[in-house]
Amino acid sequence: MPIRQNIRSGIFADGGSNLRWRIAILVSAAIAISYLDRQTLPVAVQAISKDIPLTNGQFSALQSAFLFAYALMYAGGGKLVDLLGTHRGFTVIMLFWSLACASHGLATGFGMLAASRFLLGMGEGGGFPAATRAVAEWFPTTERATAMGVINAGTAIGAVVAPPLIATVLGYTNWRWIFVLTGAIGLLWVAWWRFSYSPPPSTPGETVAGQTTVDTISHPTPGTTSPLPWIRLFRIRETWGLVIAKFLSDAAWFFYLFWLPKYLYDARGFDIKAVGTFAWMPSAAAGVGCLLGGGFSSYLVRRQCSLGVARKLALGLSAAVMPFVILVPHVPVSWAIGLFCLAYFGQQSWSTLVMVLPADLFPQNVVGSVAGLVGFGGAMGGILFGEIVGYLLDHGFGYSAVFRIAGTLHIAAFLIILIAVPVLLPLHVEPKLNYQGVA
């Protein structure tokens, strides 16, 4: 089916290439909203604690409630998007998580906060699988890492906006309105998505806005017309490698994401205004990492480097900067913020590349499912490490022990990828698993 001819206000009327990048920006906006929504609780925790007192263990439990649901729906959301398609699937996902975010404002105790956090995780779990599927649908191999970088930069935008926005809202009203506002922003995006997005053409030889053929965008794999069961995907070594690598690296990432404001409150004596002033800086560095990591890998591909070298070199450089975070508790606060910036930069460069690997390795009809399983592994890593962090802090071990663990996880994840994906080539996954992969 061709792209809608009227394209409603002409937003996509300027050719296939511009159309693809407009879609990337549209999806990036959704990811930005997801990170704004998930940052509301960590940034506003000091204000919330005045009404609902929270220990370190309870704060960790709230993040675990989010991440447990996020993990389940990252896998389930990927399957949902494969079944419903990117357009309808993303609509359902965003509606659900926006309403779940707004429900935090009704909480009167820890239990209600945990329930809202769980529902938010259920909704947001489908966001990145939908984004990965959109990249697989619309972008050729030479552009995928750059496109994923643009989309992943949305994480930084949402996290950059959160601290100053929340500080400003708290200056005029109470913390409950923060969740109402962020939920409403998500509902506005749904209207934008429904109004603007169309799937790529599916008829061979058809063109996107008169320029780019479907074959250069979608790369369909013959013989794979329906999604495979998860059990078959788990028999593929590359699936396990990506899941375990994401488990390790996201354990560190969710610690940085959820605990940075609390670290600044507890260990550095910041108040909400100081957090609003400084806590956005690491997230801005994360956005640069998204763009440079994906852009560097795409540059190497265009320079005729093999896909494996292009991806793995960028991944290795990203992982190499992560151990510097071990120094955070031992340096002045200005240096600590700088080290957080470096860690956020490296992590999001890494994340951009890891999340494009399913599109590089697997047929389009299972990309959403594989991306969902990879994200499931990442969220489970966040749960486990988050519980460890809460235990260590409540039992007097301090942040130094936590940062020592976090600083090593990306290096271990990179080694796992080198072992599980020794040569990066597309897998030909057949319905009965007679596939020709990389041995």
Side-chain angles (χ1 to χ4, degrees):
M1 183 178 68
I3 297 294
R4 295 175 191 148
Q5 297 302 311
N6 60 344
I7 310 296
R8 309 209 184 158
S9 80
I11 189 170
F12 292 157
D14 54 348
S17 179
N18 286 341
L19 170 57
R20 294 200 300 278
W21 293 108
R22 288 177 186 271
I23 289 171
I25 291 170
L26 183 63
V27 176
S28 181
I31 300 303
I33 294 168
S34 77
Y35 265 66
L36 172 62
D37 290 351
R38 71 181 68 178
Q39 281 292 91
T40 47
L41 178 68
V43 177
V45 65
Q46 192 175 61
I48 295 170
S49 294
K50 295 177 182 178
D51 292 338
I52 306 173
L54 298 171
T55 66
N56 284 321
Q58 287 177 318
F59 180 75
S60 178
L62 289 175
Q63 308 315 329
S64 294
F66 170 87
L67 287 172
F68 182 70
Y70 186 76
L72 294 177
M73 275 304 294
Y74 214 126
K79 197 74 170 180
L80 178 69
V81 172
D82 280 340
L83 292 173
L84 295 182
T86 308
H87 191 202
R88 286 185 295 171
F90 224 144
T91 298
V92 171
I93 287 164
M94 178 65 99
L95 277 173
F96 189 94
W97 99 49
S98 297
L99 295 174
C101 183
S103 74
H104 286 67
L106 302 175
T108 58
F110 171 77
M112 292 183 69
L113 274 179
S116 293
R117 210 69 189 156
F118 183 88
L119 293 173
L120 179 64
M122 284 187 65
E124 290 200 8
F128 270 106
T132 303
R133 183 179 170 92
V135 168
E137 286 179 348
W138 277 102
F139 289 89
T141 301
T142 55
E143 294 180 347
R144 281 180 184 164
T146 302
M148 187 58 75
V150 170
I151 290 170
N152 207 27
T155 63
I157 295 170
V160 164
V161 169
L165 174 64
I166 291 169
T168 301
V169 172
L170 287 174
Y172 292 95
T173 185
N174 64 51
W175 60 268
R176 299 180 187 278
W177 283 101
I178 295 167
F179 295 99
V180 174
L181 174 62
T182 52
I185 292 172
L187 296 178
L188 290 175
W189 183 91
V190 171
W192 182 22
W193 175 255
R194 297 293 296 176
F195 182 81
S196 301
Y197 181 86
S198 292
S202 57
T203 304
E206 213 168 6
T207 60
V208 178
Q211 291 190 12
T212 308
T213 65
V214 68
D215 291 333
T216 48
I217 296 174
S218 299
H219 302 294
T221 301
T224 54
T225 57
S226 61
L228 289 173
W230 282 329
I231 187 65
R232 293 186 178 178
L233 293 174
F234 272 123
R235 294 174 187 169
I236 302 171
R237 183 189 58 201
E238 287 82 357
T239 303
W240 278 106
L242 294 180
V243 169
I244 295 171
K246 190 73 167 169
F247 176 91
L248 293 169
S249 61
D250 272 15
W253 171 235
F254 284 119
F255 163 65
Y256 304 142
L257 185 67
F258 292 143
W259 288 83
L260 171 59
K262 202 168 192 310
Y263 170 76
L264 296 176
Y265 290 136
D266 295 347
R268 299 291 183 164
F270 279 34
D271 58 18
I272 185 63
K273 290 183 179 179
V275 168
T277 301
F278 294 104
W280 63 270
M281 294 179 181
S283 298
V288 177
C290 293
L291 297 174
L292 290 187
F296 176 60
S297 181
S298 292
Y299 168 78
L300 292 177
V301 173
R302 291 193 299 270
R303 298 288 292 180
Q304 306 305 311
C305 285
S306 71
L307 190 62
V309 169
R311 299 291 191 251
K312 290 176 184 178
L313 179 58
L315 280 168
L317 291 173
S318 301
V321 305
M322 300 306 292
F324 286 101
V325 79
I326 295 171
L327 300 175
V328 163
H330 310 292
V331 297
V333 67
S334 58
W335 281 91
I337 294 294
L339 290 172
F340 273 121
C341 288
L342 182 63
Y344 274 55
F345 173 91
Q347 153 60 33
Q348 289 303 83
S349 173
W350 165 275
S351 180
T352 295
L353 295 155
V354 167
M355 289 311 297
V356 83
L357 290 179
D360 291 334
L361 286 166
F362 291 88
Q364 182 185 316
N365 66 304
V366 297
V367 164
S369 296
V370 175
L373 292 173
V374 172
F376 174 87
M380 295 306 292
I383 290 172
L384 178 60
F385 192 52
E387 292 298 321
I388 292 172
V389 170
Y391 177 86
L392 291 175
L393 294 180
D394 278 343
H395 288 79
F397 288 90
Y399 279 100
S400 292
V402 174
F403 282 108
R404 282 197 296 270
I405 298 171
T408 64
L409 293 175
H410 284 76
I411 301 297
F414 181 58
L415 294 176
I416 292 293
I417 287 178
L418 293 181
I419 294 168
V421 192
V423 180
L424 202 161
L425 291 173
L427 299 171
H428 301 292
V429 184
E430 301 297 338
K432 294 183 179 180
L433 261 195
N434 295 323
Y435 71 98
Q436 297 174 353
V438 179

